[in-house]
Amino acid sequence: MGRLNVTLCGVELDNPVIPASGTFGYGYEFAEYYDIDCLGTFSFKGTTKNPRIGNPQPRIAEGEGGLLNAVGLQNPGVEAVIAQELPKLQEVFHKPVMANVSGFSAEEYACTCAKLDAQPQVGWLEVNISCPNVHGGGMSFGTDPAAAASVVRAVKAVTKKPVIVKLTPNVTDITAVARACEDAGADGLSLINTVLAMRIDLRTRRPVLANGTGGLSGPAVLPVAVRAVYQVYEAVSIPLVGCGGVSRAEDVIELMLAGATAVEVGAANLTDPYACRDIIAALPAAMDRYGITDLRDIIGGAHG
Amino acid sequence: MKKGLFTVTENTPLTATVYRLRLAGDASAVTAPGQFVNIALPGLYLRRPISVCDADGGELTLIYKTVGRGTLAMAAMAPGQTLDVLTGLGNGFDIALAGDSPLLLGGGIGAAPLYLLARRLRAAGKAVTAVLGFNTGDEVFYADEFRSLGCDVTVTTADGSFGTPGFVTDALPEGYSFYYACGPGPMLRAVYDRAAGDGQLSFEARMGCGFGACMGCTRQTASGPKRVCKDGPVFRKGEILWDA
């Protein structure tokens, strides 16, 4: 085992860096830019039971140190993902992939997860109960501990693969939802999804995004992610995947000190397609600067 | 797509709001006219997508209009400054569709990417007609540059202060073999409705990444959702849906 290796829910990763869902497509297009086998794994585009065309334009706005998106879970549906996207991925990525799943009812989550559970390429199911850009699904499950637990139970009933639940920061107490997911059988938690946000166009005096609100990501939200991971690490005993504003190797270390076993990188992939490759390459030197021999030694290291 | 560092060699105003930016660096990833680049600007999180006006091995020419924070920041750049640029983005125009006498239709800043297209079409021996539309005579740029390539150029202005009064669709010639259009949405819609025959139209969109990863710029088409940045920005007339 190298000094970057970590174990996420029983599955070995060569390093803790994971492109976050929605910023890396189904992976194969990034293989045109670099060898994506250098990644720990990646979380593919949020997939639903049925195809979704997503929200109207515009879907993108900018903030200081970040961007807002309201894509709205555009995806071809789980059948097409299995038939068309995963075979293309298999040619260029030779590690277990994290399957990101969203839905509009517990049954729908379970249906999609059952189909992905049958795919040998899938190493983990990442259950997204935190998308802020769809109505009647997504985040509405992640803001209510009982609803979150119902989705986790439904998914756990159809898969033996590790189930990682992706949490929203748009709640009063993220630890309550985290505990409910752990109690319902979740094997891990990833946090945070985007922060609910809005920009207004001064010329039109209307929201920039056609959806009105969107999710803020990028370096602006890193401190929110560090806080959320730190709080949840104290509240549960299952592994955490830190996510939110990571753009440098130092950010990976900070989220691991807060309690993350692995770290997702989202918006940074959109401003620099080589971001994850470069973060992984920069990790050993950053570890040396802070006297870190082995990344596994620092998980939760900020807690007294 | 290629990521590289470019050095500003020129940043000159052509009109009150339109600038020509010349960059030295590896432009080899630009393979077709109508492609764009995505420029990282200090202090702004998202890159700014700008169409390629001309490309020649070690030099890129971009023409942009100051409309917001990003392009205003670009207008303040000085020669010698280095920029992180993603090049060779988007599909570009297909010159194989041109026929013998293609028509180019440019609206405002949309004329910029038609310049490299015109140069390639002239090099291939085509008889090129260009109709370039602007709001006012003060906003006209590059008409003489298109003429220098040997194009038959008509300029229209919406306020009638220069050239033919009206829009590009008021000056459509007869008998062209295929058309290529780039300009604002309402112009593209008018061209689609009124220009005879087949064509390719290049669209603008608010983009997140510019290389196909975020699904921020998706447009519905006759063959399903397409990313303007990666599957476009150029779409064949028959692919285009307007109200989806």
Side-chain angles (χ1 to χ4, degrees):
Chain A
M1 293 257 287
R3 60 193 297 227
L4 302 186
N5 288 56
V6 295
T7 303
L8 180 61
C9 304
V11 185
E12 209 66 44
L13 302 181
D14 293 332
N15 63 69
V17 177
I18 304 173
S21 180
T23 66
F24 214 72
Y26 291 93
Y28 51 85
E29 287 181 323
F30 277 76
E32 296 169 24
Y33 314 140
Y34 63 90
D35 179 1
I36 61 172
D37 273 335
C38 74
L39 303 169
T41 179
F42 78 96
S43 182
F44 67 50
K45 175 82 184 128
T47 296
T48 51
K49 182 181 175 189
N50 299 312
R52 286 182 54 82
I53 61 171
N55 284 327
Q57 292 290 343
R59 299 175 173 184
I60 300 288
E62 191 176 41
E64 289 296 321
L67 79 151
L68 288 70
N69 90 82
V71 170
L73 293 175
Q74 181 192 334
N75 80 94
V78 67
E79 299 288 359
V81 167
I82 290 168
Q84 288 149 34
E85 307 292 339
L86 290 184
K88 284 189 232 175
L89 174 62
Q90 192 153 32
E91 291 175 21
V92 291
F93 189 61
H94 307 92
K95 296 178 176 184
V97 66
M98 192 177 286
N100 185 284
V101 173
S102 203
F104 296 84
S105 68
E107 295 72 30
E108 200 181 319
Y109 276 100
C111 173
T112 307
C113 286
K115 288 176 176 157
L116 289 166
D117 174 74
Q119 305 307 310
Q121 282 166 272
V122 172
W124 310 258
L125 293 163
E126 184 177 51
V127 177
N128 176 7
I129 56 169
S130 44
C131 177
N133 298 323
V134 296
H135 301 282
M139 195 174 83
S140 62
F141 292 103
T143 53
D144 173 13
S150 74
V151 172
V152 175
R153 278 193 297 269
V155 170
K156 282 295 288 180
V158 298
T159 183
K160 293 263 190 295
K161 288 181 173 163
V163 172
I164 295 171
V165 185
K166 189 158 188 180
L167 303 181
T168 174
N170 305 309
V171 290
T172 307
D173 179 7
I174 194 168
T175 64
V177 184
R179 275 195 215 95
C181 291
E182 181 181 43
D183 291 346
D187 300 287
L189 302 170
S190 54
L191 63 164
I192 56 175
N193 205 319
T194 56
V195 178
L196 196 61
M198 180 184 278
R199 295 308 303 270
I200 291 170
D201 184 321
L202 302 191
R203 279 169 292 205
T204 64
R205 303 188 179 189
R206 292 289 179 274
V208 172
L209 298 170
N211 190 53
T213 57
L216 177 66
S217 61
V221 309
L222 175 71
V224 181
V226 172
R227 179 271 298 172
V229 169
Y230 188 94
Q231 288 179 330
V232 170
Y233 183 80
E234 304 220 325
V236 302
S237 55
I238 51 179
L240 308 180
V241 180
C243 180
V246 174
S247 55
R248 309 178 307 147
E250 287 81 356
D251 302 339
V252 173
I253 292 172
E254 186 171 347
L255 276 169
M256 294 186 77
L257 287 167
T261 294
V263 171
E264 293 185 358
V265 178
N269 295 308
L270 307 181
T271 60
D272 182 352
Y274 300 97
C276 285
R277 179 199 68 181
D278 294 348
I279 289 170
I280 293 164
L283 263 173
M287 291 163 65
D288 290 343
R289 274 199 297 284
Y290 295 98
I292 300 162
T293 310
D294 190 317
L295 275 182
R296 280 161 300 187
D297 298 340
I298 67 162
I299 297 167
H303 298 260
Chain B
M1 186 205 68
K2 202 173 251 185
K3 180 185 166 187
L5 288 178
F6 286 76
T7 305
V8 175
T9 56
E10 179 197 315
N11 194 19
T12 325
L14 301 178
T15 74
T17 57
V18 171
Y19 289 71
R20 180 173 63 203
L21 177 66
R22 286 208 160 107
L23 300 173
D26 177 7
S28 64
V30 179
T31 55
Q35 290 184 311
F36 66 97
V37 301
N38 215 359
I39 306 176
L41 296 169
L44 294 172
Y45 190 69
L46 293 174
R47 290 173 183 267
R48 294 304 192 266
I50 306 289
S51 67
V52 172
C53 172
D54 203 359
D56 197 358
E59 186 179 70
L60 274 178
T61 302
L62 312 175
I63 294 181
Y64 63 94
K65 184 176 182 177
T66 52
V67 292
R69 276 180 80 183
T71 43
L72 284 167
M74 286 173 62
M77 295 186 312
Q81 187 171 343
T82 56
L83 293 169
D84 173 334
V85 185
L86 303 179
T87 54
L89 302 173
N91 58 351
F93 294 107
D94 183 357
I95 66 167
L97 300 170
D100 293 331
S101 51
L103 170 65
L104 312 188
L105 299 167
I109 200 67
L114 300 180
Y115 180 78
L116 179 57
L117 176 62
R119 194 159 74 75
R120 294 277 168 84
L121 290 169
R122 290 294 298 145
K126 310 294 185 183
V128 178
T129 301
V131 181
L132 308 176
F134 301 90
N135 287 316
T136 69
D138 292 343
E139 297 182 13
V140 176
F141 67 89
Y142 257 50
D144 289 339
E145 281 78 357
F146 279 87
R147 282 193 189 98
S148 296
L149 293 175
C151 302
D152 179 358
V153 178
T154 299
V155 172
T156 66
T157 54
D159 72 348
S161 58
F162 186 87
T164 304
F167 299 108
V168 293
T169 43
D170 297 315
L172 293 172
E174 303 271 315
Y176 52 88
S177 52
F178 188 84
Y179 72 79
Y180 299 94
C182 183
M187 175 205 136
L188 295 181
R189 180 67 204 255
V191 166
Y192 176 93
D193 287 339
R194 295 175 60 181
D198 200 359
Q200 282 191 316
L201 298 87
S202 180
F203 286 80
E204 282 193 310
R206 200 176 265 268
M207 292 177 186
C209 63
F211 52 88
C214 74
M215 308 293 154
C217 63
T218 302
R219 190 182 170 89
Q220 299 310 319
T221 72
S223 52
K226 299 285 184 190
R227 299 162 294 184
V228 171
C229 71
K230 178 110 177 178
D231 306 311
V234 176
F235 293 96
R236 191 83 176 258
K237 184 180 176 185
E239 282 288 288
I240 294 164
L241 301 177
W242 292 101
D243 298 311

